[in-house]
């Protein structure tokens, strides 16, 4: 579904292994879905594996900050890289 024209217009499906996402996880999932045009986001997904790159990483952090008031440093996006 990645790259489909209407991926961002449909609701994001958050996959969290049977556990409810925290409010922050939900926001991050929604932001990633908007930016990456990916409808399914899971707790263990990697931003870059989903099609992200460094410029989109900066945009995602900016959007997360606008929605939550929490300022995250860029290295946070790279921490989970395999």
């Amino acid at each position: 579904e990645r790259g489909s024209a209407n991926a961002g217009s449909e609701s994001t499906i958050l996959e969290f292994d049977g556990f409810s996402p925290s409010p922050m996880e939900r926001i991050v999932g929604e932001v990633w879905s908007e930016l990456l045009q990916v409808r399914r986001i899971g707790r263990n997904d990697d931003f870059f594996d989903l099609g992200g790159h460094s410029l989109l990483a900066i945009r995602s952090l900016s959007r997360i900050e606008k929605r939550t008031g929490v300022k995250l440093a860029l290295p946070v996006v790279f921490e989970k890289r395999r």
Side-chain angles (χ1 to χ4, degrees):
E1 293 180 50
R2 188 164 105 213
S4 69
N6 59 2
S9 65
E10 299 175 24
S11 62
T12 303
I13 298 172
L14 301 172
E15 299 173 340
F16 290 97
D17 306 322
F19 298 99
S20 296
S22 70
M24 180 61 98
E25 287 173 327
R26 185 168 299 286
I27 290 168
V28 170
E30 290 168 358
V31 167
W32 285 16
S33 179
E34 293 165 10
L35 289 174
L36 302 174
Q37 295 295 295
V38 176
R39 208 168 144 236
R40 290 184 178 276
I41 304 287
R43 175 176 277 143
N44 295 315
D45 284 343
D46 181 276
F47 180 80
F48 299 99
D49 289 344
L50 293 173
H53 52 74
S54 58
L55 295 177
L56 285 178
I58 293 168
R59 282 175 141 177
S60 73
L61 295 177
S62 175
R63 288 186 186 190
I64 291 166
E65 181 179 0
K66 284 180 184 173
R67 292 185 188 183
T68 66
V70 175
K71 185 175 179 93
L72 301 171
L74 186 58
V76 165
V77 180
F78 294 93
E79 283 178 3
K80 195 170 181 228
R81 291 293 294 167
R82 295 179 192 112

